[in-house]
Amino acid sequence: MRSLDELVRPNIRALKPYSTARDEYAGGAISTWLDANENPYDNGMNRYPDPHQRELKRRIARLKGVREGQIFLGNGSDEAIDLPYRIFCSPGRDNAVSIAPTYGMYRVAADINDIEMREVPLGDDFALPVDALLAACDEHTKLLWLCSPNNPTGNAFPAAEIERLVRAFDGMVILDEAYIDFASEPGFLPRLDEFPNLIVLQTFSKAWGMAGVRLGMAFASEPVAKLMARVKYPYNINCLAQATAAERLAFDITPQVAELRSERSRMIEALATCRAIERVYPSDANFLLVRTPAPDRLYNALIEAGVIVRNRSHVRGCEGCLRITIGRPEENDRMLRTVQDFRP
Ligand code: PMP
């Protein structure tokens, strides 16, 4: 790995971040808060939130088995996807490499930041193209984007292959594990300390059932997590999100995840027997990618039945494919009946 000093943009290296009133507060028995130009009349929301989200990070650290200093919390994963470009990539000069097809925000964030994105197609059966990814990198490649389990293909990549990439690439690897709770393998968080150039993304939007809260997590070495905290908006996680997430972390998500995984198996079997479906791809996520000879017509038939899925048939590498989220059993049955009745 190149040193962090070499990888970080010079202006970010030199940045003096904004210091909030609550950064300056050094503790002590304060009863009168006259430091932040807030409205003094208590309505539960009149104070700024903790800019460092200390309580929430304390709970997440315990849950995930990492140190608090290794955690960055963002306004959804989207913020954690945008920040690496702003920290590491000089616009018009540096580039990023990613697998394709994959989650669309890596490219959108690259385009917004004026960073060239080099997309490397997945191999047969959506295999990770390790050598082709490395071959696409040059001395200006700062970021390598991986998503496992991958959206929209659904498959998780073998840990040994991900590890080979992280060890061989000398910039930052961002491994998006948004769907890791649905996978059979544990992901890379337990091994975070082995890889100083790895950023693991997870989210509260999927297995944790908090898409509306907008809370994404990034896990990295302390120096990298600190860089992300320096560049973020000062109060990026609002009071409601911090409080709701802290409270809901006490819930046991295991039964819901188990039901979704069992529904996934049920749908894989049932869809595979449908005349309209040529292929159901294996999935480690909470969705299935299916290939059909008539994707647009099947998509519209589902809409007519009041069921919306994601039409991915116009995405390169996903020709003929619909992506179907696993819902509650009765919702899955409604989807299934339409697919069973459909004549391609
Ligand atoms: N990563 C992946 C791979 C996703 O599929 C999604 C949502 N579709 C996200 C991140 C976004 O997560 P968040 O809601 O935390 O922004």
Side-chain angles (χ1 to χ4, degrees):
M1 174 190 173
R2 281 167 276 179
S3 73
L4 260 193
D5 256 8
E6 274 176 277
L7 287 172
V8 172
R9 263 161 60 166
N11 64 309
I12 301 299
R13 239 185 283 142
L15 180 74
K16 190 172 177 322
Y18 178 72
S19 167
T20 74
R22 296 297 137 84
D23 282 307
E24 284 170 21
Y25 158 63
I30 304 293
S31 62
T32 307
W33 296 91
L34 302 179
D35 60 341
N37 303 344
E38 296 154 332
N39 183 315
Y41 300 104
D42 190 7
N43 60 13
M45 284 294 128
N46 56 317
R47 299 291 174 193
Y48 282 105
D50 174 7
H52 307 294
Q53 306 107 20
R54 288 188 189 85
E55 174 57 23
L56 189 51
K57 282 184 182 166
R58 205 174 52 73
R59 294 185 194 209
I60 292 171
R62 211 166 43 208
L63 180 82
K64 300 285 182 181
V66 299
R67 297 183 293 282
E68 286 160 47
Q70 294 175 301
I71 305 172
F72 166 82
L73 298 178
N75 185 341
S77 304
D78 298 335
E79 184 178 5
I81 290 169
D82 181 53
L83 280 178
Y85 290 107
R86 296 166 61 197
I87 292 169
F88 296 107
C89 299
S90 293
R93 177 172 166 269
D94 290 329
N95 67 70
V97 168
S98 93
I99 53 173
T102 191
Y103 181 46
M105 275 307 288
Y106 316 142
R107 168 173 271 287
V108 172
D111 289 345
I112 289 170
N113 286 287
D114 191 20
I115 305 302
E116 178 198 351
M117 174 58 102
R118 301 177 175 181
E119 293 182 346
V120 177
L122 295 175
D124 291 346
D125 290 333
F126 304 134
L128 190 63
V130 176
D131 292 317
L133 283 163
L134 291 172
C137 299
D138 63 19
E139 73 272 24
H140 291 300
T141 309
K142 294 287 189 69
L143 308 178
L144 175 56
W145 292 91
L146 301 176
C147 181
S148 180
N150 187 36
N151 179 9
T153 58
N155 56 320
F157 302 115
E161 294 179 9
I162 295 175
E163 179 173 349
R164 185 149 84 81
L165 273 173
V166 180
R167 290 197 191 280
F169 177 54
D170 64 358
M172 299 301 299
V173 176
I174 299 122
L175 173 62
D176 189 341
E177 294 186 344
Y179 299 99
I180 196 68
D181 299 290
F182 304 104
S184 39
E185 301 292 324
F188 271 70
L189 265 200
R191 302 180 57 192
L192 194 59
D193 281 327
E194 287 178 49
F195 307 106
N197 62 331
L198 179 64
I199 301 175
V200 175
L201 305 185
Q202 294 190 4
T203 178
F204 285 103
S205 298
K206 311 295 175 185
W208 282 95
M210 285 188 260
V213 171
R214 307 308 303 132
L215 193 60
M217 295 167 271
F219 302 93
S221 71
E222 271 99 345
V224 171
K226 210 172 269 175
L227 278 165
M228 296 179 82
R230 279 159 57 88
V231 175
K232 76 179 179 70
Y233 291 156
Y235 299 110
N236 63 329
I237 312 293
N238 69 53
C239 298
L240 285 172
Q242 291 195 40
T244 308
E247 189 185 315
R248 286 192 65 96
L249 275 183
F251 285 31
D252 180 11
I253 60 168
T254 324
Q256 271 187 9
V257 168
E259 173 159 302
L260 290 169
R261 285 176 57 136
S262 122
E263 280 293 292
R264 180 178 73 196
S265 303
R266 187 171 77 89
M267 286 303 111
I268 288 175
E269 270 187 35
L271 286 166
T273 66
C274 294
R275 190 192 306 196
I277 302 297
E278 287 170 343
R279 178 126 193 234
V280 184
Y281 289 94
S283 174
D284 287 287
N286 66 338
F287 57 84
L288 296 176
L289 192 73
V290 299
R291 199 177 68 222
T292 166
D296 293 340
R297 280 180 48 235
L298 178 56
Y299 177 77
N300 288 328
L302 283 161
I303 290 201
E304 255 170 57
V307 177
I308 184 131
V309 300
R310 197 91 204 266
N311 188 348
R312 300 280 78 187
S313 63
H314 305 288
V315 173
R316 208 153 114 213
C318 289
E319 290 80 6
C321 289
L322 303 181
R323 191 194 69 192
I324 304 174
T325 304
I326 302 296
R328 299 192 308 271
E330 66 276 16
E331 296 177 311
N332 301 330
D333 284 336
R334 197 175 311 143
M335 176 274 297
L336 185 60
R337 275 196 300 276
T338 306
V339 178
Q340 282 167 336
D341 293 345
F342 183 79
R343 296 288 164 260

